[in-house]
Each structure stands twice: as C-alpha cells, then as structure tokens.
Amino acid sequence: MKPPTSKSGKLPARSIIVWSVVVVAILLASLDAFRRLEQFLIRDPRFALNLDAGGSQPDSFLLAGATHASARAVETIFAEDSGRSVYLIPLAERRATLRAVDWVKDANVSRLWPNRILVSITERKPVARVALANNREALIDEDGVFLAPGQDRYRLPRLDGVSISDSLVKRRQRMARFLALMNDLAADAANITEVDISDADDLKIQEPFEGRTVTLLLGNQHFALRHQGFLNYYMEIKKKLPNAAVLDLRLEDRITVVE
C-alpha cells in the first residue's frame, strides 16, 4: 500500500505526518513485542537450565565428543547458568572457556529449546610422548599443547627437544619439524621409538632392528630418501659393522658410522 500523492506527485504535508506516525507506531509496537518476548524467555521457568549438585538432570545438559576431556570440568563451566534461562547463556564466552579444558581443541555450544544445552567437543590428538620431571610423561599434540595421559594406551614415539617450559610459539615451531619428518617417512614412521628435534639442522630418530636400537642422523631434508638408503644397505652395514649403533645419513652418497 502506497501513501496518497498529489497531482504534482509530491506528498502533502498531512500525509507525511500521518505516515510518519504510522511507521513510528509500528516500530514501537515491534520493540514492545520483542521486549515482551525477551522477558518471557528470561522469566518463564520452562526455559531454565536445571543442573544440580549431583550432576545434570535428565537431558538438560548434553555433551558429545568428550572421550578424554573431563565431563565434570566441562559441566562446571556452566554451573553459574544453572537455574536461569538458556536464553541468557553467553555462548561465545562459554565456548572460549571450554577451549582451556584439558584435551579440548575446540567446542560448540548450542541452545536446544526450551531448556537444554548441547556441548560438542573436538578433542586434541596426541602425536608423541614427552618426558617430564620425576619420571613422568605427558602427551603432546601437533600444536605443541601438552595433554594429561588418558586411559588409552597410545603407541607414540618419545620426543626430545620440546620442553613444557618453552613458549607455545616455540613448541609449535618445533612440532612443525617433527610433523614434517613423520609425514615424509610415512609408513616407515610407525617403527620409530624416539625422535630428537633439538637441532633444527640435524633431526635424529631411533628404530629397533633385529633386537637392537639404531640411531639415525637424518639432517633437515630428504628424510624418506635417506631412510630408504639405510634400509637398502642395512644388511651390508650389519655384516661389516655389527656393533654400529649410530649412523649418519646426511651425506647423499654414503652412510657413516658415528663412534
């Protein structure tokens, strides 16, 4: 519906005033309706998230994807939301807090009307073991984040050259070296028991061969090529130098025994 116009095509002043009043009235009515709806969502007990001291009531708090991350730690983040409307829960803020929980790489928080919350967790994946003080070990993921050992028994190589005292930026840089090495070795990486990335120019690995462990110096490139060269000549090396335990593969045309 269009407002009436004069023969000249211009709106008369009275029509302008009337239509302005109509528009303002519609806006005010919409704002009032929104305010009433918002108050309804906030105050009506049917929208309240119900958590009790012994855990969530049936189906009010749903958690998905958390295998190693503590369900209790995740739920605790929403403790202050118990008893209030799910409409008031700051989803972005809760998501940011969830990322600080051990094993949580990312999280998504959704409202399930009328009064439920769904938390979907994406967990970190460990790629190596790192020795800590007092003969303890931690797991570490590709981002350089340390993880408490979980219930699963991971068959992962021990990693030297990364410390819990290093900054996260430094750990990420060193993990990039480790991942480049492991990705280049591909299937052969499954047999590696230890990796030393302390020296960026000389990465080292340890592998078991016929009942003994061999240390291989791989340098900083051509990891797969150098490793394959070792495999090709291993029997010959074993025959000539049966006690050789450390081998330098950094020269493309030879394999050197390190005393």
Side-chain angles (χ1 to χ4, degrees):
M1 178 179 179
K2 296 182 179 180
T5 59
S6 63
K7 293 181 179 179
S8 63
K10 296 181 179 180
L11 286 171
R14 183 177 179 181
S15 296
I16 293 176
I17 294 173
V18 171
W19 279 99
S20 296
V21 170
V22 171
V23 170
V24 171
I26 292 174
L27 289 175
L28 290 175
S30 299
L31 289 173
D32 183 64
F34 175 77
R35 183 186 64 81
R36 289 174 181 272
L37 175 60
E38 187 175 49
Q39 289 302 310
F40 172 67
L41 293 175
I42 291 173
R43 296 178 178 178
D44 193 296
R46 287 174 292 182
F47 301 109
L49 178 67
N50 296 310
L51 303 176
D52 58 33
S56 60
Q57 293 181 357
D59 297 331
S60 63
F61 186 88
L62 306 178
L63 179 60
T67 301
H68 300 93
S70 168
R72 174 59 62 187
V74 171
E75 188 175 323
T76 298
I77 292 172
F78 295 85
E80 63 184 274
D81 299 313
S82 182
R84 69 174 178 175
S85 172
V86 296
Y87 175 76
L88 295 175
I89 298 177
L91 302 187
E93 181 180 328
R94 296 293 178 265
R95 181 185 181 190
T97 306
L98 283 166
R99 288 172 177 163
V101 174
D102 194 30
W103 282 88
V104 175
K105 184 179 181 68
D106 200 1
N108 187 54
V109 185
S110 307
R111 298 183 183 93
L112 299 180
W113 298 101
N115 62 348
R116 297 187 297 167
I117 288 292
L118 171 62
V119 179
S120 299
I121 299 294
T122 300
E123 291 191 331
R124 296 184 178 277
K125 296 180 180 179
V127 295
R129 299 176 293 110
V130 178
L132 302 178
N134 301 322
N135 295 320
R136 295 182 298 115
E137 279 191 344
L139 302 175
I140 191 169
D141 78 342
E142 62 183 8
D143 295 321
V145 175
F146 283 94
L147 307 169
Q151 296 180 353
D152 294 345
R153 293 184 177 274
Y154 292 96
R155 188 175 181 273
L156 299 171
R158 172 174 167 167
L159 181 60
D160 294 325
V162 177
S163 171
I164 199 169
S165 62
D166 295 335
S167 68
L168 183 58
V169 172
K170 185 175 182 179
R171 293 202 301 266
R172 283 176 176 167
Q173 291 173 343
R174 295 198 168 189
M175 291 308 295
R177 297 178 204 164
F178 170 77
L179 293 172
L181 167 66
M182 301 300 277
N183 290 335
D184 196 17
L185 291 178
D188 290 334
N191 297 321
I192 296 174
T193 57
E194 187 168 334
V195 179
D196 187 343
I197 56 173
S198 303
D199 186 347
D201 294 323
D202 187 15
L203 274 59
K204 305 177 182 68
I205 63 173
Q206 287 188 4
E207 282 188 84
F209 280 94
E210 299 182 359
R212 66 191 183 103
T213 299
V214 178
T215 300
L216 306 177
L217 282 59
L218 296 174
N220 59 7
Q221 60 182 341
H222 307 315
F223 305 121
L225 182 64
R226 292 171 178 178
H227 187 261
Q228 186 59 50
F230 162 74
L231 295 177
N232 292 341
Y233 290 99
Y234 173 70
M235 295 307 297
E236 183 177 339
I237 295 171
K238 181 183 177 183
K239 184 182 299 184
K240 293 182 178 180
L241 300 165
N243 297 321
V246 182
L247 302 172
D248 190 342
L249 312 183
R250 290 173 292 179
L251 298 177
E252 305 300 338
D253 60 343
R254 71 191 69 177
I255 296 176
T256 305
V257 176
V258 179
E259 299 295 338

